[in-house]
Amino acid sequence: MGACLGVCSLLSCVSCLCGSAPCLLCGCCPSARNSTISRLLFTFFLFLGTLVSIIMIIPGVEKELHKLPGFCRGSDSVLGVQADVDCSGFLGHKAVYRMGFATAAFFFLFAVLMVCVRSSKDPRAAIQNGFWFFKFLLLVGLTVGAFYIPDGSFTSVWFYFGVVGSFLFILIQLILLIDFAHSWSQLWLRNADESNAKGWYAALCIVTSIFYAASITAIALLYVYYTKPQGCTEGKVLISINLILCLIISAVSILPKIQEAQPHSGLLQASLITLYTIFITWSALANVPTQECNPTLLLRNSTGSAADPQLTTWWDAPSIVGLVVFILCTLFISIRSSDHTQVNKLMLTEESGAGAGTEAAAESGVHRAYDNEQEGVTYSYSFFHLCLLLAALYIMMTLTNWYRPDDSLQMLHSPWTAVWVKISSSWAGLLLYVWTLVAPLVLPERDFS
């Protein structure tokens, strides 16, 4: 009898995976919006692909990838060259690119499929919010198929797709960071006004000081490790330019006119943007292809050994920090909408009230996901999948350190393209932050509250 009940329970779980999201919550979980559950599950698929990519670049696993039929020797070409080239040093790079392609193709398919879905009454909304088992099978199928893509020029072409996608995702990160900084400052200032407690002001000052102290320390370390008294001109120029720009945005944020138009703007936001800009600068300098100016440069040749025996993995500190930022931003996209109307319009998200769904869930006492999109979707399905597509490309580039095969296809190296893409994204982010400060002055007739 117990076995029969167990089988019935298992079959009910399988039916949930093949159906819609409402039955995916267990009894210990609170009721939640259908839209939030769906976004979290799609994000889980992205994290699953990221985990597989990380496993594939672990040195011990990377060496075993040559056992895959046709993946290294025996295929028509390896990274665009004949099969007699030893590709053992490129297997992790190649595997991550294949996994990145499969994940990006998965989200591109849903981005196209979900165009112009207006409410959960659209039949396509059922696909967005259900059939998770079949979606998992689709992702697995795309992954298997990606490993059989002929090499040819795939790696070179897909590298540029990754560069463009990563640039756009860095901009999305900056938008989210700017929004988070403004929300943080507004919350603490509001708490200070409501409670008349000076502790909130003290906390603002302490956190701002910590951010600026960390930024100054990081800039000093960049000058020490990524520049030389003679040479390394590019590094000196890039660090100095971003240092000057960060000083400018800090000064602009406390100008009387800016404070009058936006009372909640201040040094907290500027310090956080400064710290992130310094991180992007560090990440860019870590891709400078000159060993003398880049102590973290990793050169891998076709035999799989490194120029420096201590540098035998893909991981470096900028990549690890980038991975953490990627996880936080992706979760932010999945579970939260902005407190600012302008950001919601830009990101195409607008969480509606719970409405009848909450009341029905409360009355039934069942912990389940309820449909909160009958009158209209709370976020753009297509834009959400596009964001995850860009995130997949960003993490693909991050895990491979933005490296690509050189012209002789004997060594993976770091191109200047990676440096300039990261630096230009930091400049675009600073420009965007300045715009959030001056926009109310430039366009006084518009509501930027």
Side-chain angles (χ1 to χ4, degrees), residues 25 29-37 361 367-372:
L25 291 177
C29 297
S31 297
R33 297 182 178 97
N34 203 23
S35 58
T36 303
I37 297 299
H367 299 280
R368 61 195 301 272
Y370 55 85
D371 185 2
N372 62 320

Side-chain angles (χ1 to χ4, degrees), residues 255-422:
L255 290 176
K257 287 288 186 180
I258 299 296
Q259 289 291 309
E260 181 181 347
Q262 295 200 70
H264 293 106
S265 68
L267 291 177
L268 176 62
Q269 299 96 312
S271 65
L272 184 57
I273 299 302
T274 295
L275 184 60
Y276 186 78
T277 300
I278 300 305
F279 160 67
I280 295 294
T281 307
W282 174 35
S283 181
L285 294 175
N287 278 113
V288 171
T290 306
Q291 187 75 56
E292 293 76 14
C293 304
N294 181 7
T296 59
L297 183 66
L298 171 62
L299 299 177
R300 292 175 66 100
N301 58 32
S302 60
T303 63
S305 62
D308 186 339
Q310 294 180 345
L311 298 174
T312 57
T313 70
W314 289 103
W315 291 102
D316 58 7
S319 297
I320 295 174
V321 176
L323 179 62
V324 173
V325 173
F326 153 80
I327 293 174
L328 294 177
C329 286
T330 307
L331 288 175
F332 191 92
I333 294 172
S334 301
I335 65 177
R336 183 182 182 275
S337 61
S338 174
D339 296 330
H340 303 97
T341 304
Q342 298 297 325
V343 176
N344 280 328
K345 290 180 179 178
L346 182 62
M347 299 296 294
L348 301 180
T349 58
E350 187 66 54
E351 284 289 359
S352 61
T358 306
E359 296 176 2
E363 290 176 0
S364 63
V366 178
H367 299 280
R368 61 195 301 272
Y370 55 85
D371 185 2
N372 62 320
E373 299 181 309
Q374 292 181 353
E375 300 301 324
V377 295
T378 59
Y379 66 101
S380 170
Y381 290 175
S382 291
F383 186 78
F384 172 71
H385 290 297
L386 179 61
C387 288
L388 295 189
L389 186 158
L390 298 177
L393 294 176
Y394 172 81
I395 199 62
M396 177 188 77
M397 300 302 291
T398 299
L399 293 179
T400 57
N401 293 101
W402 296 64
Y403 287 7
R404 61 174 299 183
D406 61 9
D407 294 336
S408 64
L409 298 173
Q410 295 298 310
M411 182 175 291
L412 291 174
H413 73 112
S414 178
W416 276 104
T417 305
V419 178
W420 290 113
V421 166
K422 293 179 180 181

